[in-house]
Amino acid sequence: MTVLPSYKKAARQVLASIATLALLSGAASQTAMAQTAEEQGLSISKEAKARDLGWGDSTADMLMVLRNTQGQESIREIKIRSLEIENDGDKSLTIFNKPRDVKGTAFLSFSHPVAADEQWLYLPALKRVKRISSRNKSGPFMGSEFAFEDLSSFEIEKYTYKYIGDEVYQDQDSFMVEQYPVDENSGYTKRIVWIDKAEYRVLKTDFYDRKNSLLKTLVNSEYQQYLGKYWRANSMNMQNHQNGKSTELKWNNYAFKTGLKESDFNKNSLKRVR
């Protein structure tokens, strides 16, 4: 019978195709495995940053809720203005409107990827603008559980990275990445961030102090999308595990591409800002 050889030939072709696919799959797996934990951590962090580029400028209202160890609250009303700078870090202006004892206080921050951030604080009671030294960046901002360095924009060059695994957090599959500050003046030895795989949003951050002990945890929740692309958390709760205090930032009234310019972020006009 002459049909058998054709069947054998077809079978050999199928087997050859399967073998080729297996080789290709194996090569792809080896390539993935060749990426180190450090490279994976950097890659994940770059993607998170890339997904939040291009928003231009924004304004928002914020309530800062300070809670002491007894759960007593102190609330401050704040206006935030932000400006995205191409090939540099963001600029931000924080203006305190209430209560009366902090009304008129203004904080200006220029973030930089490599150079030290520039930050100034205007205190109406003293009627002067105070520059925040890089050595003092780990200090508390206006009595809150946020440090001055926590208020800078996230820039890739500020850290080195290491991917440490996956975890489901807030019902979302997430990457876990360790971030090690490059700046020797940082108050942290590392941060561990949980970044959701679907949208690359930071859901949670653990901060470790200079003794490598867990100091604080920041939980971002109630995310909302703007301009069909940019995600912002409406609640950011910072819990200090060492002193029992917490600070929650409640955001609302976001507006984007409002026409802000670099001239709107001027340390010489901090005394007059409203």
Side-chain angles (χ1 to χ4, degrees), residues 202-266:
V202 175
L203 304 178
K204 175 184 173 183
T205 306
D206 280 345
F207 299 81
Y208 288 77
D209 65 17
R210 289 181 174 138
K211 296 180 180 179
N212 207 29
S213 297
L214 179 61
L215 173 62
K216 304 182 296 189
T217 296
L218 175 64
V219 175
N220 299 327
S221 59
E222 300 176 28
Y223 268 99
Q224 187 172 342
Q225 191 179 44
Y226 297 88
L227 304 181
K229 180 178 180 181
Y230 306 107
W231 292 94
R232 294 293 182 270
N234 287 334
S235 174
M236 304 172 68
N237 191 59
M238 182 76 86
Q239 177 69 50
N240 189 313
H241 301 290
Q242 297 185 11
N243 65 19
K245 299 178 182 179
S246 67
T247 299
E248 184 180 7
L249 307 181
K250 298 181 177 180
W251 301 78
N252 57 74
N253 297 328
Y254 264 108
F256 288 84
K257 301 187 184 300
T258 63
L260 290 173
K261 305 177 296 296
E262 288 200 58
S263 58
D264 295 314
F265 298 80
N266 188 337

Side-chain angles (χ1 to χ4, degrees), residues 81 93-97 103-107 122-124 127-129 263-274:
R81 300 170 187 167
L93 179 60
T94 303
I95 306 161
F96 287 77
N97 293 323
K103 181 178 175 61
T105 300
F107 174 68
Y122 172 66
L123 300 170
K127 295 183 179 180
R128 71 182 182 91
V129 176
S263 58
D264 295 314
F265 298 80
N266 188 337
K267 63 183 177 63
N268 296 321
S269 61
L270 274 178
K271 298 178 183 179
R272 302 184 299 274
V273 76
R274 293 291 183 269

Side-chain angles (χ1 to χ4, degrees), residues 167-174 194 203-204 218-220:
E167 185 173 282
V168 176
Y169 181 75
Q170 294 182 352
D171 296 323
Q172 298 182 72
D173 288 334
S174 304
W194 281 252
L203 304 178
K204 175 184 173 183
L218 175 64
V219 175
N220 299 327

Side-chain angles (χ1 to χ4, degrees), residues 60-264:
D61 295 326
M62 184 178 78
L63 292 181
M64 176 184 282
V65 183
L66 310 178
R67 297 187 178 95
N68 63 18
T69 54
Q70 288 76 42
Q72 297 171 316
E73 295 184 351
S74 174
I75 300 176
R76 297 167 176 175
E77 294 185 13
I78 299 169
K79 185 77 174 179
I80 305 287
R81 300 170 187 167
S82 303
L83 182 67
E84 187 179 31
I85 304 297
E86 188 175 356
N87 299 320
D88 201 355
D90 302 341
K91 294 186 176 184
S92 66
L93 179 60
T94 303
I95 306 161
F96 287 77
N97 293 323
K98 291 182 181 179
R100 182 177 298 178
D101 62 340
V102 296
K103 181 178 175 61
T105 300
F107 174 68
L108 181 64
S109 179
F110 294 176
S111 299
H112 302 296
V114 178
D117 296 335
E118 301 171 86
Q119 296 179 325
W120 300 268
L121 184 67
Y122 172 66
L123 300 170
L126 301 178
K127 295 183 179 180
R128 71 182 182 91
V129 176
K130 174 186 176 183
R131 179 159 185 161
I132 307 301
S133 167
S134 295
R135 295 187 300 274
N136 297 326
K137 65 188 297 182
S138 62
F141 173 67
M142 293 295 290
S144 74
E145 299 312 309
F146 286 83
F148 283 97
E149 66 179 297
D150 300 334
L151 305 179
S152 296
S153 62
F154 173 71
E155 305 299 331
I156 293 296
E157 296 85 352
K158 287 179 179 287
Y159 302 90
T160 58
Y161 304 87
K162 184 179 181 180
Y163 164 74
I164 58 175
D166 296 342
E167 185 173 282
V168 176
Y169 181 75
Q170 294 182 352
D171 296 323
Q172 298 182 72
D173 288 334
S174 304
F175 301 109
M176 294 173 63
V177 177
E178 287 185 338
Q179 302 176 340
Y180 308 94
V182 174
D183 189 345
E184 62 182 11
N185 291 313
S186 174
Y188 311 120
T189 53
K190 69 178 178 182
R191 313 190 312 179
I192 300 178
V193 298
W194 281 252
I195 301 173
D196 78 278
K197 295 182 180 181
E199 301 292 346
Y200 283 77
R201 301 167 298 189
V202 175
L203 304 178
K204 175 184 173 183
T205 306
D206 280 345
F207 299 81
Y208 288 77
D209 65 17
R210 289 181 174 138
K211 296 180 180 179
N212 207 29
S213 297
L214 179 61
L215 173 62
K216 304 182 296 189
T217 296
L218 175 64
V219 175
N220 299 327
S221 59
E222 300 176 28
Y223 268 99
Q224 187 172 342
Q225 191 179 44
Y226 297 88
L227 304 181
K229 180 178 180 181
Y230 306 107
W231 292 94
R232 294 293 182 270
N234 287 334
S235 174
M236 304 172 68
N237 191 59
M238 182 76 86
Q239 177 69 50
N240 189 313
H241 301 290
Q242 297 185 11
N243 65 19
K245 299 178 182 179
S246 67
T247 299
E248 184 180 7
L249 307 181
K250 298 181 177 180
W251 301 78
N252 57 74
N253 297 328
Y254 264 108
F256 288 84
K257 301 187 184 300
T258 63
L260 290 173
K261 305 177 296 296
E262 288 200 58
S263 58
D264 295 314

